[in-house]
């Protein structure tokens, strides 16, 4: 009969080793237990920065109790017992042996600030990862009544987190952030493809609409062929060339959309000759909205991948996150232009353009002029 495995030993064997920040937490707490007066110099760290339940309880207890006299603290364990009692009210399982273990884990109490800085940096990484994850989930939540507005609000929260990290960890010279290797995802969205086809056909039928839709760029399109045709439309608009399905087809040939075999000429003519009754700007806003949500999702993923790489420094996290957010900001500006109503320009009245208005006729005769000799 095979031996029965011990479930306790099996569970311990499957646990991953603690990360480096865990040892920094132990070293900091050990430093404060050895020299409690050093807690007064730690102003940028809070108990939320710790990764386990026992460590924030101990840190809060150390900060709440007045530091003992160094000479008295070296002789007795009175203050350590008070710390253990106060921390035990917040979490269970703390023992005197663990406090002594923390003291032994501290290489040098004078390095308490350096240990705290490590803990702050890792806490910033977790905050950034959580904010990026919330942004990703928001872009995927189709039940939101105001999906774009909520997504942009989450992006603003993520930007605030990045700015806060940059403030607490000033920029220094060093290697720039590494760009995460992302795998391009080919999306087959029939609804998006139909919206793009309707926009191209209606914009071809109403050439003036492309001039008003400068906020829409080829990169917003999901289908490469549709992106190329939109570029053809905007090119013809800038030139002032007459626009119809035939002229767009001729421009498409110059852009390589026909020569490369991407589409047959008859197929392109059919695509451009079936306009819809809706305003082209309506379809343009639908395409831009999808592009904004896609960019926000990609931004969140890039930042999340940066935080998942333990080799990424705090400085690299800030630089990489700001680069990713810059792409989203550019789409956000174009979305603002697309959805903001154009202001009504009332011509200003020129006070000097019209002759002065004549006043009412006099009601009394002018005074007589007396002539004296």
């Amino acid at each position: 009969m095979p031996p029965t495995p011990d479930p306790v030993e099996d569970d311990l064997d499957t646990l991953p080793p603690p990360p480096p920040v865990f040892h920094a937490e132990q070293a900091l707490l050990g430093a404060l237990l050895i020299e409690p007066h050093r807690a007064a110099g730690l102003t940028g760290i809070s108990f939320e920065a710790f990764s386990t339940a026992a460590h924030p309880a101990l840190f809060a207890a150390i900060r709440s109790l007045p530091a003992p006299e160094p000479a008295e603290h070296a002789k007795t364990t009175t203050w350590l017992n008070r710390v253990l009692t106060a921390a035990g009210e917040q979490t269970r399982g703390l023992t005197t042996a663990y406090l002594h273990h923390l003291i032994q884990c501290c290489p040098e109490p004078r390095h308490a600030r350096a240990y705290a800085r490590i803990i702050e940096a890792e806490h910033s990484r977790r905050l950034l990862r959580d904010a990026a994850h919330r942004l990703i989930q928001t872009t995927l939540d189709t039940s939101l009544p105001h999906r774009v507005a909520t997504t942009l609000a989450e992006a603003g929260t993520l930007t605030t987190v990045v700015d806060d990290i940059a403030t607490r960890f000033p920029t220094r010279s060093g290697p720039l952030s590494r760009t995460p290797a992302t795998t391009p995802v080919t999306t087959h969205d029939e609804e998006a493809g139909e919206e793009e086809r309707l926009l191209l056909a209606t914009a071809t039928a109403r050439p003036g609409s492309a001039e008003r839709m400068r906020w829409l760029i080829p990169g917003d399109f999901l289908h490469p062929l549709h992106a190329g045709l939109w570029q053809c439309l905007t090119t013809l608009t800038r030139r002032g060339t007459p626009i119809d399905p035939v002229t767009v087809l001729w421009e498409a040939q110059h852009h390589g959309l026909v020569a490369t075999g991407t589409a047959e000429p008859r197929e392109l003519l059919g695509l451009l000759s079936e306009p819809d009754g809706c305003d082209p700007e309506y379809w343009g806003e639908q395409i831009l909205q999808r592009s904004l949500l896609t960019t926000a999702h990609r931004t969140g993923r890039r930042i999340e991948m940066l935080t998942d790489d333990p080799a990424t420094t705090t400085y690299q996290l800030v630089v990489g996150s700001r680069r990713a957010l810059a792409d989203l900001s550019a789409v956000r500006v174009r979305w603002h232009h697309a959805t903001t109503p154009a202001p009504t320009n009332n011509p200003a009245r020129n006070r000097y353009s019209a002759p002065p208005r004549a006043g009412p006729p006099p009601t009394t005769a002018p005074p007589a002029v007396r002539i004296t000799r």
Side-chain angles (χ1 to χ4, degrees):
M1 180 176 180
T4 304
D6 188 350
V8 177
E9 292 183 359
D10 289 347
D11 291 341
L12 293 178
D13 291 339
T14 57
L15 290 177
V21 68
F22 178 81
H23 301 283
E25 294 178 9
Q26 289 185 324
L28 174 63
L29 293 174
L32 299 182
L33 292 174
I34 298 172
E35 299 180 359
H37 67 277
R38 298 191 180 276
L42 306 178
T43 58
I45 185 174
S46 62
F47 62 89
E48 292 93 349
F50 292 85
S51 60
T52 65
H55 291 175
L58 282 171
F59 184 74
I62 293 173
R63 296 289 294 268
S64 63
L65 296 174
E69 293 293 334
E72 183 67 21
H73 182 60
K75 297 178 182 179
T76 66
T77 61
T78 303
W79 186 81
L80 294 178
N81 295 334
R82 292 177 181 176
V83 170
L84 184 61
T85 301
E89 296 176 356
Q90 303 297 326
T91 184
R92 297 180 180 180
L94 289 175
T95 61
T96 304
Y98 188 66
L99 265 63
H100 288 287
H101 173 70
L102 293 176
I103 293 174
Q104 295 175 356
C105 289
C106 177
E108 179 54 64
R110 293 179 301 174
H111 298 165
R113 289 189 178 182
Y115 305 147
R117 199 66 169 167
I118 296 173
I119 299 170
E120 290 179 58
E122 193 61 26
H123 181 53
S124 298
R125 182 190 299 270
R126 292 196 299 269
L127 292 176
L128 187 60
R129 182 189 298 116
D130 293 342
H133 181 72
R134 288 194 300 269
L135 176 61
I136 295 172
Q137 295 303 313
T138 303
T139 62
L140 300 176
D141 190 354
T142 57
S143 64
L144 294 173
H146 305 286
R147 191 175 173 190
V148 173
T150 307
T151 298
L152 293 178
E154 288 294 342
T157 302
L158 178 57
T159 303
T160 302
V161 173
V162 175
D163 293 341
D164 180 66
I165 296 174
T167 301
R168 291 187 291 113
F169 294 87
T171 304
R172 56 174 178 79
S173 59
L176 298 178
S177 59
R178 297 176 294 175
T179 303
T182 56
T183 303
V185 180
T186 303
T187 305
H188 300 281
D189 192 332
E190 291 296 333
E191 181 181 358
E194 182 64 21
E195 291 175 351
E196 293 176 359
R197 287 190 291 269
L198 290 173
L199 169 65
L200 293 170
T202 51
T204 302
R206 305 177 187 176
S209 59
E211 177 67 21
R212 299 190 301 269
M213 298 168 60
R214 294 185 178 183
W215 36 263
L216 190 67
I217 62 176
D220 295 325
F221 288 77
L222 190 64
H223 199 292
L225 174 62
H226 299 162
L229 289 175
W230 179 252
Q231 186 175 4
C232 294
L233 273 169
T234 55
T235 300
L236 294 176
T237 301
R238 288 194 302 268
R239 292 178 187 166
T241 305
I243 295 178
D244 60 34
V246 174
T247 59
V248 175
L249 176 63
W250 181 249
E251 186 67 23
Q253 176 176 318
H254 295 160
H255 282 74
L257 301 179
V258 179
T260 57
T262 303
E264 296 292 335
R266 189 178 300 275
E267 178 185 352
L268 291 180
L269 284 176
L271 186 153
L272 298 170
S273 302
E274 299 178 359
D276 184 80
C278 293
D279 192 331
E281 296 186 22
Y282 168 78
W283 298 118
E285 289 184 10
Q286 298 300 311
I287 296 171
L288 183 57
Q289 174 178 315
R290 182 176 286 103
S291 176
L292 187 148
L293 294 174
T294 302
T295 304
H297 184 272
R298 185 168 58 246
T299 298
R301 284 291 300 135
R302 285 178 59 185
I303 296 177
E304 189 178 54
M305 293 177 67
L306 283 173
T307 60
D308 289 341
D309 186 359
T312 307
T313 65
T314 308
Y315 165 71
Q316 292 173 334
L317 285 177
V318 171
V319 175
S321 298
R322 284 180 168 172
R323 284 178 175 177
L325 288 168
D327 296 338
L328 178 57
S329 179
V331 184
R332 181 176 188 168
V333 170
R334 292 191 287 111
W335 173 257
H336 176 74
H337 288 309
T339 57
T340 301
T344 56
N345 296 324
N346 295 324
R349 180 178 299 175
N350 189 347
R351 69 179 69 181
Y352 304 106
S353 60
R357 185 176 179 181
T363 57
T364 59
V369 179
R370 186 176 180 180
I371 302 176
T372 59
R373 295 181 178 179

